[in-house]
Structures are given as structure tokens and as C-alpha cells.
Amino acid sequence: MLPSTVLSSSGVSVADIRLQDLGHSLDRVRATVTTLSSHASRLTGHSGADHASEWIRQQLLDLDLGVVRQETLHVTIPVEAGGQSRLRLLEDGVDLTVYGLWPNGPRTTTTGPDGLTGQLVYLGKGEYEEFDGHRLDGAIALMEFESWDHWLRAASLGARAIVFIAPDETTYRQTLDKSTLEPVDIPRFWIGAEEGRRLRRRLMSPGEELAIRLDSRMDWRRRPAWNLWVEIPGSDSLLAAERIIVQAYYDGVAATPSLAPSAESASSAAALLEVARHLRDSPPERTVLLLFTGAHFQAMSGVVDFLDRHARTAPYYAKRMSEPLPTDLFISLDLSTKTDQIGIWNNTYDFGLKRFFVPFGRRFTRYAEEVSPDLQRDPERALVNGISPIRGMDWSTFVPDGVSVDSEVALDVGLPSLAFVTIHDARFPVNTPLDTPDRVRYEHLDSQSQFLSRLLSQAFADTALFTGLEDFRPVLKDQLRTHRVRVRSFPRRSETPDRMIPEAVVFINGGTHKGVDYGRVILTDEEGQATIPGLYIGGNAISAFG
């Protein structure tokens, strides 16, 4: 477990680190990632996300770029009581810390007030031959985390709960199999490697039995998240009328809601702070809005909220915006650190739209050629044109298993949008509790940050950036909708469902991708109503649990 306060190598609390005091860019990106991942969890609604928002706001204030705006939205997330759960060895009277895994659909990892008691049985990786000689009915299974979805085999044979031993290394692919969309009442837990291996050794000793009790409480809670933004007025009298938004998210995620340091996921925010510093020293010709969004991993709710307030194009939603911000281009950053190569992408595999973005790919390729020599970078390696790749390749060639970027949402409300994404990196640590600062390649992040700062400055200054583009308006349509639902139950002697269900869990199945949950969970208000923003046109399967 990470402590709530972490010290840097100099012995200074990361909460006290101010980027303005650091002269080298490598030190700054390292400080940002270390600070943002210093709490046990940066999942929205947890202390790490709250701290990250406030810390980033302070860094923006230090840069003195303009008024720093903070806007609040709310999302529903699973919260583990006390930030951890307990495994008690009944005969020894010893308590061990475990962490509940992500809910099965709406069903959280909760054992009830009396806990859950049973014999602990070691099942390895859950292969059927490892079940031989074990009575699983009523037992609690101890398994290796690197076991895919084999916990379901144990559950089908009567296991009441699963405890996974933390591995030395794992990937997001293993996390995908540790929960289901069905409300299966099988609590699942993560135990640290040292404690888990000690239990494994005891259970593998002849005649050894361990009776344990698990105590856990996890509830769906409505918690705040924040978007932070600052606008830098353009310095050119003509170009200043054009607004470009550059966005990065700052929250994190893991299969264990209470244990989500999310160091790799802090990369984009670290880079955007470096872009902000560069723009302070070299003011942009165009108006630039720097946007740090929360709740990225909750169906990109942060950017949905920002667009709802400021940049919708559908007439119904446009007239309801609180502060319209006409936007000529939306750019999102989605960086990681296993390589230092960046790709530019137009947020869609639709070949019908690709031709509209081809000029952007060519222009940013030219900017890369202009800025790379000063950084001693090979422009062909520093930036790959993912909009119109060479030699018949496509975007999937560069980002194994894809990536979910916030600019996709901007495109889906009708805004011309681009994404700058670290390529040739599958982002394996994402969504795992092992995504810690010591595994980050800071030199790669620093290289990307400095390159992007100069690349974007070239774009902000280019008078021909938008020249000769086809008209996007006929092809880019606002496809997002806000739905309102009411949850009611049937009275005992009536056929009319008219009993309001407050605090009901409204569940929308949308699947997950590298930690980004495209589904949504929303709690109803005291009148049994819920508002669901950011849904796409078409069918959405919605269920509710009271």
C-alpha cells in the first residue's frame, strides 16, 4: 500500500513540491508523476484524485497564465469503507490487509456485517487439476492473480470468495477477467505479494488448514470530480479569434478501487503542465485553452461535462450551454512512457472522415521537421502520421489494442479533433495496482513533453493551419444525448409502478477498454430520478437495482 504522504528523494513531501522551483524539465515531469501517484488511489472520488486536482490548480496559479477556472461534476464510483478490507486468520488472531476488486456489475465486493468465514484453499492458477482433493463448497479460494477468469471455475464449484495474490508483474489484460457484468455475489480481493505467498506456503504444507474471515464493505457513492482550465489569449490580432483547446486527464484507475496509484496515467497531465510552462515563456499567437479533466475513466465524464457546458453543436444542447466557447480545434494528449514516439490521430477509423483530416497530418509532420533538430530528434521517429500512414499501415499498427482518447468525445459533438498519443506502447500497467512511479520511464516522458511543447507552438503560430480545409460541418454531427430515467417499483396491490426508489443503482452496460469504463453507474435522487449525459444515439441497455 502507498502511504498517503510520500517523500521525494530529497526528503520533501510531494504535497509541498512546486514545479516553479525546479529548473530542469526531467525533474518537473518526475515530480508531477510522483506527486499525482503519491496517494493510495487516484480513482475519482478518492483522496488521490482530490489532491491531484488541487495540486494541478496550484501549479497553474504559479504559472500566472490567467484566471484558473474550476468546474465541478459528479460521478458514481465504488468506495471501499476505510480504504481497505480485512482478512483475519481465526486461529492466529492476525489481521491482514486486502483490497476489494471492482464490482460485478452493480454488485460490490461486500461481505455483510458478520463477515464471510470459511476454510482457505489454495488453487494456484485455477486449472482444473489444481482443484483435485479440495472441497470447494463454502470455501474461500486463494489464487494467483495471473489466472485469467478461472476464478469463475472455483465460484461455480461453491467457493464463496476469492483472494488473489499480487504478482511481481501483470497487465491490464489480466484485470479484465477479474469481474463480470452480471451481479454475481462472489467477493474478490487483492492481497500483497509477501502476505499472499506466506499464506500459500502454509497451505501447501501437509495437513495445514487455515480458517479465515473476510470483512469488507464497498458502496456506490456519488462523488465530485473537477475540470480545471485556463485560457491564454492569442497575441496575434487576427489569429487570436481562433481558439484551440489542448486537454489531458489527471485521474487514475485500477481493478482495486482503493489501490490505484496510476503512475503511467499521470503522463498526459505532466506533459500538459510542461506545455503550459512553455506557453508562459512563448505566448501563443492563437487563443489556447488548456484543459485538465477528471473522471476520464468513468466514460470520459469530465470531457463530456466540459463540452456540455461550453462546446455543443446540436441546437438543443447548444442553447443550454452555460458559457459557449466556440472552438476551432480540440486536441487531447494521451501519453505513456515505454517509448518516446508520438502519433497524431484523427480519432476515428471512418474512412469517409479521414480525408478531412489529411491536411492536419501533413502540417504537423512539417512542424516536426522544423522543431526536431533543436531537440536532437529524428522527426520521422518523433512523430508518426497516423492519419495517413505510409506503406499501407493504419492507426492500429501503432497502438496495440488501441487507446481511448477524450478527443473522440469532442469529435462526437461535432468538433474537429486530434489526438497526440504515445505509440508502440500497449500500456500494460494501466488498470493494475502495480502501476507505480518506480516503473515509469521519465526520460521518455520528458522527451515527449518537450517535443509536444514546441510542436504545438508551431501550430499555434501557423497562419495556414486551417487554410484549405474542407468544411467539416456537413460531416461532423453532434451524436451525444442526455437521457433522464425514473426508477419505480410496483406497489403490492397495483399494476402501476409508482413507488419512487431513491438511491437506486442505474446501470448501463458499455464494456471497458484499458480502464475506461464505457458503461455508467448512476444513483437516483430522492425522487428516484437520474440524469445520464454523454450517451450515443442508438440503443442503450439500462437496468436498475433498488
Side-chain angles (χ1 to χ4, degrees), residues 11 16 35 93 112-113 131 148 219 246 251 267 313 330 334 353 373 406 445 510 528 539:
D16 299 327
T35 300
F131 292 13
W148 305 104
D219 298 299
V246 186
D251 58 311
S267 300
T313 59
F330 188 103
D334 202 306
L353 287 177
D406 288 289
L445 178 56

Side-chain angles (χ1 to χ4, degrees), residues 46 88 190 319 450:
H46 291 68
R88 184 173 184 81
W190 168 284
K319 67 183 181 182
Q450 299 313 307

Side-chain angles (χ1 to χ4, degrees), residues 109-158:
T109 298
T110 296
T111 61
D114 297 326
L116 195 156
T117 302
Q119 291 292 323
L120 191 64
V121 176
Y122 178 65
L123 299 179
K125 294 187 176 182
E127 299 297 341
Y128 282 119
E129 55 266 26
E130 295 178 286
F131 292 13
D132 289 348
H134 296 299
R135 181 179 177 85
L136 295 184
D137 189 22
I140 297 171
L142 179 68
M143 298 180 66
E144 302 297 332
F145 191 77
E146 302 290 281
S147 55
W148 305 104
D149 65 351
H150 295 174
W151 67 273
L152 290 168
R153 299 175 177 177
S156 68
L157 293 172

